[in-house]
Amino acid sequence: MHDPDAATLAREDAKVPVAGGDRWSARALDPGELDPEQQVVVAWDPEESGAVVGAPGSGKTSTLLSRVRSLVDRGVDPDHVLVLTPTRPAATALRDPLALAVGRATAGALARSLASFAFQIVRGAEVRRGAEPPQLLTGGDEDQIIRELLEGDALDEASGRRRWPDWLGPSIRATRGFRGDLRAFLAECTDLGIAPEDLPALAEHQGIPVWAAVGSFAAEYRAVRAEMRGAHRDAADLAREAVAVFDEAAGDRELLGRFASIRCILVDDAQELTSGGIDLLRACRARGIGVVAFGDPDVGSGAFRGATPENFARLAAELGGLVALGDPHRGTAEQIDLVRGVAARIGAAGVVAHRRAPIGAPPEGSVRTFLLRSPAEEADAIARLLRERHVLDGVPWSSCAVIAHDSRQVAALEAELAAREVPARASGPGVALGTQRAVRDLVTLVELGMRDPDAWTADAVLDALLGTYGGLDPIELRRLRSALAEEELSA
């Protein structure tokens, strides 16, 4: 199953996979290698729409690549075909296989993330209207704005003005986890079209008082963002604006720019799409563009962004034709049975046509389960298994991966494995530069150097001395204080 947080073992020069999935080994298949269901999908006309579902290893991404090659072979210009993915790393991973499948030069990348596609649509429309080109508000920028607003709330509470309930004190609101949840909540509201002024009424109706506080905060956040220099957009706004551009383009085709000639859109990992992404695909289909969505509603890692099996089911119903890929092309019989057994326990909230009953394969050792008493024992077991694979079986470190539950566990595993002489490097979501101590200390030092020394404060100097570049520890700082005090007294 896909997991955005993975501690991946690799040499420094190795290409590190970010998430599981068959896209890493996928290729365009020859017609004789396609099973009957894959042949049906590949043979669809360019403007035909539908949904393709399949379990892990059923060849969804290979079918997508084969369809792209088939379209090009049938005379469709590669620049009129677009492949969308929910995330940028997934789009990057598909670009090389797509280039090999097409076999010719193209005007731009054939694979884009859905946010990138929406941004290009919105930016092109604004430029053609003569307006200021929009700028994408990064996750780090959003986090910085939210952090400053929450710090302001803490100062307001000190003077008697309170927005948040008592159980959400300043210490909780100052955590990175709270800011992340708040960002996700605001993005989900934007995705669903819920305005900040709607949240108090929803809070009263649903009996969740904290939503009223979030509504007040959201209104202030939007006001601050509107006053920023430049036309800033966040990822949650882009899909909605792109839909509006498509609606407006019905009377002005030039608003879409180079995307006005798109004939076919193929979407990989469509189960990770949010409501805004599905609305954008519906707008594309309304213009006569063929949309084919590939996905597995039983697999997902984007629930925190608003991706649900119900979204995929709605998309599949709107696209029309549904093809289920049933033949597994990867994994042992025992592994296939394990996946099918887990999927059978998942509620049927979405499409289930791809599910198959376990075949009752006998144990063969390709699936092993360990019950360990502590995190330290867990790290020992993982390190031992990885060394066995590397030393005894000759598996390179770059072909080994450890999938963790969350980013905190990833960081702990990376340190634990490195301590056990297993070369580990974390992949997945990057860390914002501003949160890294070396960068933060460097910025602090530069800001201190730009000020007049007479304006320096004791706290600022202490931060610089105890930081990465000052290099002093508390004992050395005490010695420095003593030496300065002695020098002052002797003078």
Side-chain angles (χ1 to χ4, degrees):
M1 292 187 178
H2 299 328
D3 193 314
D5 297 318
T8 304
L9 309 170
R11 297 189 183 93
E12 289 298 317
D13 58 347
K15 182 177 180 180
V16 181
V18 177
D22 52 5
R23 71 170 62 91
W24 305 106
S25 58
R27 61 182 178 85
L29 302 175
D30 294 328
E33 299 178 275
L34 298 170
D35 60 41
E37 290 81 10
Q38 291 175 316
Q39 292 176 8
V40 170
V41 177
V42 170
W44 279 347
D45 292 334
E47 285 78 17
E48 192 167 353
S49 298
V52 181
V53 294
S58 59
K60 297 183 294 295
T61 306
S62 294
T63 306
L64 182 151
L65 294 170
S66 300
R67 175 163 171 76
V68 171
R69 186 169 70 178
S70 174
L71 290 171
V72 174
D73 291 343
R74 283 184 274 169
V76 178
D77 190 326
D79 292 324
H80 297 170
V81 179
L82 181 64
V83 176
L84 296 179
T85 65
T87 63
R88 180 175 53 82
T92 302
L94 275 176
R95 285 173 184 168
D96 286 346
L98 278 171
L100 293 174
V102 170
R104 67 178 73 172
T106 57
L110 294 181
R112 292 175 176 270
S113 69
L114 192 121
S116 172
F117 174 58
F119 179 75
Q120 291 297 326
I121 292 290
V122 173
R123 186 182 189 281
E126 291 296 317
V127 170
R128 288 172 179 82
R129 295 187 186 111
E132 183 180 4
Q135 302 178 36
L136 183 61
L137 198 65
T138 66
D141 294 332
E142 290 182 74
D143 186 75
Q144 179 67 25
I145 296 172
I146 291 175
R147 180 192 294 115
E148 292 175 355
L149 290 177
L150 291 174
E151 289 173 353
D153 286 347
L155 295 176
D156 289 342
E157 289 181 7
S159 60
R161 290 174 294 176
R162 175 175 291 276
R163 188 202 324 254
W164 301 95
D166 293 339
W167 57 273
L168 275 179
S171 57
I172 296 177
R173 301 197 304 268
T175 61
R176 182 180 177 184
F178 178 80
R179 294 197 304 272
D181 289 344
L182 186 56
R183 280 179 54 201
F185 187 90
L186 295 178
E188 181 73 1
C189 288
T190 301
D191 204 41
L192 296 175
I194 300 175
E197 55 270 19
D198 297 333
L199 285 173
L202 288 174
E204 183 176 357
H205 182 265
Q206 298 291 335
I208 308 177
V210 71
W211 283 7
V214 176
S216 172
F217 181 89
E220 186 175 350
Y221 167 75
R222 287 181 175 274
V224 169
R225 204 182 68 190
E227 294 175 359
M228 295 177 63
R229 181 180 179 184
H232 286 80
R233 309 287 204 282
D234 62 17
D237 290 330
L238 288 174
R240 295 293 177 189
E241 290 197 45
V243 171
V245 172
F246 268 99
D247 293 340
E248 189 177 349
D252 185 4
R253 180 182 174 88
E254 294 299 323
L255 281 177
L256 296 178
R258 61 179 292 261
F259 294 112
S261 60
I262 294 294
R263 297 180 59 188
C264 181
I265 293 178
L266 297 93
V267 187
D268 199 21
D269 284 342
Q271 77 276 357
E272 304 288 3
L273 295 178
T274 62
S275 296
I278 292 174
D279 291 340
L280 179 54
L281 293 178
R282 184 196 297 118
C284 293
R285 186 167 181 251
R287 285 189 56 83
I289 300 173
V291 178
V292 180
F294 298 77
D296 179 0
D298 295 333
V299 177
S301 61
F304 68 98
R305 290 191 299 265
T308 64
E310 291 82 1
N311 283 344
F312 184 82
R314 179 162 63 93
L315 176 63
E318 292 176 355
L319 293 180
L322 177 67
V323 175
L325 304 180
D327 295 340
H329 300 281
R330 188 182 69 236
T332 65
E334 185 180 10
Q335 293 168 354
I336 294 170
D337 259 13
L338 174 64
V339 172
R340 290 178 175 178
V342 171
R345 293 179 171 86
I346 300 175
V351 180
V352 295
H354 61 293
R355 293 186 183 178
R356 300 291 186 271
I359 59 178
E364 56 188 23
S366 61
V367 177
R368 300 168 65 185
T369 302
F370 294 82
L371 298 178
L372 304 166
R373 295 174 294 181
S374 68
E377 284 192 9
E378 181 179 318
D380 286 338
I382 293 172
R384 182 178 68 254
L385 290 170
L386 292 171
R387 279 196 296 266
E388 288 177 0
R389 294 289 180 270
H390 181 66
V391 177
L392 301 180
D393 300 334
V395 179
W397 293 120
S398 58
S399 297
C400 302
V402 180
I403 308 298
H405 180 267
D406 54 41
S407 56
R408 289 172 296 180
Q409 196 176 17
V410 167
L413 276 172
E414 184 182 15
E416 293 288 348
L417 294 176
R420 290 163 174 79
E421 299 182 352
V422 174
R425 183 173 64 182
S427 66
V431 178
L433 285 176
T435 64
Q436 299 184 26
R437 182 176 179 185
V439 176
R440 188 172 61 248
D441 290 348
L442 179 60
V443 173
T444 300
L445 193 61
V446 171
E447 290 177 344
L448 187 65
M450 294 172 63
R451 299 179 197 162
D452 188 334
D454 294 335
W456 289 358
T457 63
D459 289 339
V461 174
L462 286 177
D463 288 341
L465 292 174
L466 293 172
T468 305
Y469 304 97
L472 298 185
D473 58 31
I475 295 177
E476 292 172 328
L477 182 62
R478 190 178 302 118
R479 290 173 180 169
L480 177 60
R481 286 179 182 275
S482 300
L484 292 175
E486 183 178 351
E487 182 178 349
E488 185 177 2
L489 291 174
S490 64

